[in-house]
Amino acid sequence: MEKLMTETSLNIGIPKIWRVNLKNKSVSYENIPKSWERLGGRGLVAKFLVDEVVPTCEPLGPMNKLILAPGLLVGHMISSCDRISFGGKSPLTGGVKEANAGGTTGLYMTHLGIKALIIEDQSINNDWSVLFIDSNGIKLDPAEELIGLGVYDCSKKLLDKYGSKIAVALIGRSGEFQLSSAGIQNLDKENIPSRIAARGGLGAVMGSKKIKAIVIDGRIGQKPSIAHPEEFRQAQKIFTKALMEAPQTAVYRDYGTAAMSRMANGFGGLPTNNFSQGQFNNIETISGEYMRNTILERGGEGEPTHACMPGCTIRCSNNYPDRNGNSIVSPIEYETIGLMGSNLGISDLDTVAKINYIVNDLGLDSIEIGAALGVAAKAGIMDFGDGNRAMQLIDEIRSNTPLGRLLGSGATITGKVLGVEQVPAVKGQAMSAYEPRAIKGTGVTYATSPQGADHTSGLTIRAKINHLDPKGQADLSRTVQINMAGYDTLGACIFTGPGFTSAPGTIRDMLNARYDWNVSNDILQELGRTSLKWEHEFNLKAGFSKADDRLPEWMTRVPLSPNNSVFDVSEEDLDGVYNW
Ligand code: SF4
């Protein structure tokens, strides 16, 4: 056991920046710089990257840093607002990266007074470690016995060793192999490692630092202080009521994110057979309704709804069981259904669930791997609809074979090596399960987001507009991107939007009451704009240009059935997204 540093005087009631240097084995607990005070989550990641990380650095080298930052509202179990942001330079895109997750990591960090945890440099002796954090500080424990384990077995061992009241952020084999589609898994409130900060390869960054897991002891900790408790309680109450009553959230409560399967298919925007079609003939057996009925019929460990973090009232998560009622995986999300179901021509939900479990265990981003497998199918490496072959190919990743490393490096590299033009990716990152030729506002988000193609950067499918009309999509995407960057800075789940929108002023009121600030009603947009500005700045310094803010050319000329549409939002509109 290697103690880096403990401070008996460490006052967890005063938030600090906790910084670990792996090369010289030092820890510091720093006061929060003035310019970081009003930031959290994604905004803090962006500011940190701009201030401290050389944009041209090697993402898997010692100059890159891994940052964990809970959002500004985290720590109080406000419904769906305890998310943790991970950040660093992305090995997948070569640009800025923030990926966030639910579970308990953000909550426990905040209770120990950690405004952000920054992991710097790399160990000289190359040994694997567990980074253990409690109210005394940080220590490094040896992790050799955990190497080679998937996230399910690894987290069981960590829970045995450190007790059940811990939060864990950990990597699977893919992170150990430093593959660009490796994410960072987090325990949910039942201590299942199922909440992944999936996108952009941050699991590889953690692997490059030889950290298998970050364990946060939750036994001693306290809720952050609130400057004006009564005002805070009132705002929280209004928000929770609005969230509970919003019709959009009711859908997620019943069907989870899988509710989007039929909706996207209805718009002709469900990726099918490597983004060749916008509708899937067998939509019924991968729909949210089918999933819910199957879970209810099978019973046992199955749960049609489930909360990933304490206090979430939306409960969009689920636990999908086999015919005997034994859990196959928790949860199945729409993105996985879209990328590993219809995109691979697979219509059997049990098969999708099994693939989902394997991918989770390896700590992989199911969107990136689903897209890479779609490209591999296009190249003839597997047949569309062949779930067994898909599992064999994922086993290649587990075995770290050249083919496995290719697929694990993501869709763009897979397409380049296999000679496939039809790769659904922007800035090297695969698209989510919304076809941009049918949902064009989301296409604008894919093209222009500094994060690369990512629906969580600005999903437009719920807007009541003609999604096929190219006009107005850039304005819509800009608005949604700004809001989403704001929510990510608060630590609020993407699904809190309807609650905050129908309870205007509650974000302002909660922040003012929590921090004794005096922010105005447009604080969400202010946070979002600021974050996007820094992310954009980082990317420009890393070498990106307007040419990178485009969808792949084939999507502008190959029509998508059934609407026969191409992506035709003008370049002028795309270039104008950041003019505000
Ligand atoms: S809505 Fe879903 S993803 Fe969001 S916090 Fe709740 S369970 Fe987690």
Side-chain angles (χ1 to χ4, degrees):
M1 183 169 71
E2 188 170 5
K3 283 229 186 257
L4 286 181
M5 180 176 145
T6 59
E7 272 192 14
T8 45
S9 59
L10 191 58
N11 182 350
I12 59 173
I14 301 174
K16 302 253 183 196
I17 306 292
W18 291 31
R19 193 185 292 269
V20 188
N21 186 296
L22 296 169
K23 186 178 176 191
N24 59 27
K25 302 268 192 289
S26 65
V27 176
S28 60
Y29 307 91
E30 302 162 7
N31 292 327
I32 300 163
K34 198 92 192 129
S35 62
W36 291 17
E37 269 176 6
R38 291 200 171 189
L39 295 169
R42 178 170 166 184
L44 185 50
V45 164
K47 178 66 174 154
F48 166 79
L49 286 171
V50 162
D51 281 1
E52 293 199 8
V53 174
V54 177
T56 50
C57 76
E58 162 54 47
L60 300 179
M63 287 168 71
N64 199 9
K65 303 184 183 185
L66 182 65
I67 179 168
L68 284 73
L72 283 169
L73 290 177
V74 173
H76 305 280
M77 288 186 266
I78 302 167
S79 180
S80 330
C81 289
D82 280 327
R83 288 181 82 84
I84 175 76
S85 286
F86 294 82
K89 178 172 174 174
S90 167
L92 188 72
T93 70
V96 72
K97 179 50 61 186
E98 182 269 354
N100 58 65
T104 52
T105 307
L107 187 70
Y108 285 13
M109 278 179 67
T110 310
H111 286 186
L112 288 177
I114 305 173
K115 171 88 170 170
L117 170 68
I118 298 163
I119 304 172
E120 299 180 341
D121 220 313
Q122 290 171 339
S123 156
I124 296 171
N125 61 15
N126 237 7
D127 291 343
W128 284 93
S129 298
V130 169
L131 196 74
F132 177 81
I133 298 172
D134 67 7
S135 55
N136 294 315
I138 297 179
K139 68 175 180 176
L140 288 177
D141 283 345
E144 290 307 325
E145 65 170 24
L146 303 173
I147 301 311
L149 296 182
V151 300
Y152 294 106
D153 285 344
C154 183
S155 57
K156 273 186 203 137
K157 281 191 181 280
L158 292 168
L159 287 158
D160 284 347
K161 177 171 179 179
Y162 296 104
S164 60
K165 187 109 177 31
I166 54 172
V168 179
L170 79 168
I171 56 173
R173 292 294 271 163
S174 63
E176 292 174 22
F177 299 149
Q178 299 181 33
L179 296 172
S180 297
S181 46
I184 301 174
Q185 283 279 17
N186 294 265
L187 296 185
D188 69 7
K189 70 181 178 56
E190 273 79 37
N191 286 340
I192 306 296
S194 57
R195 311 312 305 189
I196 187 166
R199 311 240 55 201
L202 291 174
V205 176
M206 192 158 150
S208 76
K209 300 194 178 300
K210 298 280 187 284
I211 300 292
K212 176 70 176 175
I214 300 165
V215 175
I216 302 139
D217 190 336
R219 285 172 304 175
I220 299 178
Q222 60 193 48
K223 279 190 181 179
S225 62
I226 297 172
H228 305 287
E230 185 48 34
E231 283 91 333
F232 188 86
R233 203 182 61 77
Q234 274 303 326
Q236 181 176 1
K237 200 169 144 196
I238 294 167
F239 162 67
T240 307
K241 183 167 182 290
L243 190 65
M244 295 285 284
E245 289 172 357
Q248 296 98 320
T249 49
V251 173
Y252 292 120
R253 213 170 284 129
D254 285 342
Y255 303 109
T257 55
M260 301 309 292
S261 302
R262 270 194 187 156
M263 188 175 181
N265 197 61
F267 282 122
L270 180 68
T272 301
N273 292 2
N274 190 38
F275 284 70
S276 293
Q277 303 150 35
Q279 283 184 334
F280 186 47
N281 288 340
N282 299 316
I283 177 64
E284 288 311 319
T285 56
I286 58 167
S287 68
E289 293 78 359
Y290 179 88
M291 184 176 78
R292 179 181 171 84
N293 290 339
T294 305
I295 294 173
L296 290 173
E297 268 168 30
R298 291 180 177 178
E301 293 173 347
E303 291 175 276
T305 64
H306 168 263
C308 80
M309 62 175 64
C312 171
T313 57
I314 305 173
R315 299 169 59 89
C316 82
S317 177
N318 56 64
N319 193 342
Y320 187 84
D322 64 15
R323 289 173 192 281
N324 299 317
N326 299 317
S327 172
I328 300 177
V329 73
S330 170
I332 306 186
E333 303 265 12
Y334 166 65
E335 298 305 324
T336 307
I337 290 174
L339 269 300
M340 299 192 141
S342 55
N343 188 50
L344 302 182
I346 296 172
S347 56
D348 176 36
L349 201 53
D350 284 11
T351 304
V352 175
K354 284 175 196 156
I355 296 174
N356 198 166
Y357 178 88
I358 300 167
V359 165
N360 280 1
D361 193 42
L362 288 165
L364 288 161
D365 172 7
S366 63
I367 295 176
E368 196 64 48
I369 293 302
L373 289 172
V375 171
K378 180 78 178 171
I381 305 279
M382 65 172 269
D383 291 331
F384 287 110
D386 188 344
N388 288 332
R389 180 63 179 145
M391 285 189 251
Q392 277 174 7
L393 290 174
I394 296 166
D395 266 348
E396 301 267 348
I397 303 177
R398 187 186 295 279
S399 303
N400 207 22
T401 65
L403 178 56
R405 289 199 65 85
L406 172 67
L407 296 166
S409 298
T412 300
I413 300 280
T414 300
K416 274 194 181 133
V417 173
L418 298 180
V420 175
E421 185 201 9
Q422 196 170 312
V423 176
V426 179
K427 298 184 179 75
Q429 181 167 282
M431 293 174 189
S432 324
Y434 302 90
E435 237 293 352
R437 288 169 288 179
I439 320 285
K440 293 182 181 174
T442 302
V444 174
T445 301
Y446 290 162
T448 59
S449 169
Q451 302 288 337
D454 186 349
H455 68 294
T456 67
S457 293
L459 185 60
T460 62
I461 193 169
R462 286 205 169 273
K464 304 237 178 302
I465 56 161
N466 176 1
H467 292 283
L468 294 168
D469 184 351
K471 293 200 186 62
Q473 303 291 349
D475 290 340
L476 173 63
S477 170
R478 179 193 303 114
T479 301
V480 183
Q481 284 195 61
I482 290 169
N483 287 346
M484 272 318 304
Y487 287 130
D488 291 342
T489 297
L490 296 174
C493 177
I494 187 171
F495 303 123
T496 57
F500 282 124
T501 308
S502 49
T506 46
I507 293 175
R508 174 201 61 204
D509 294 346
M510 280 194 251
L511 288 174
N512 286 340
R514 159 85 175 82
Y515 295 100
D516 194 25
W517 292 346
N518 186 23
V519 297
S520 61
N521 216 9
D522 61 357
I523 183 64
L524 180 73
Q525 288 73 29
E526 192 186 317
L527 292 170
R529 280 198 186 90
T530 308
S531 173
L532 285 166
K533 185 175 77 73
W534 285 325
E535 291 173 2
H536 206 51
E537 181 185 331
F538 185 90
N539 277 2
L540 288 177
K541 288 179 181 162
F544 285 77
S545 70
K546 284 180 181 173
D548 297 295
D549 288 343
R550 301 287 183 266
L551 289 197
E553 188 210 295
W554 62 271
M555 285 188 157
T556 66
R557 63 180 155 75
V558 180
L560 177 75
S561 65
N563 295 306
N564 228 17
S565 54
V566 295
F567 186 76
D568 52 0
V569 176
S570 71
E571 296 197 345
E572 194 186 352
D573 278 3
L574 294 177
D575 291 342
V577 166
Y578 288 98
N579 295 335
W580 55 59

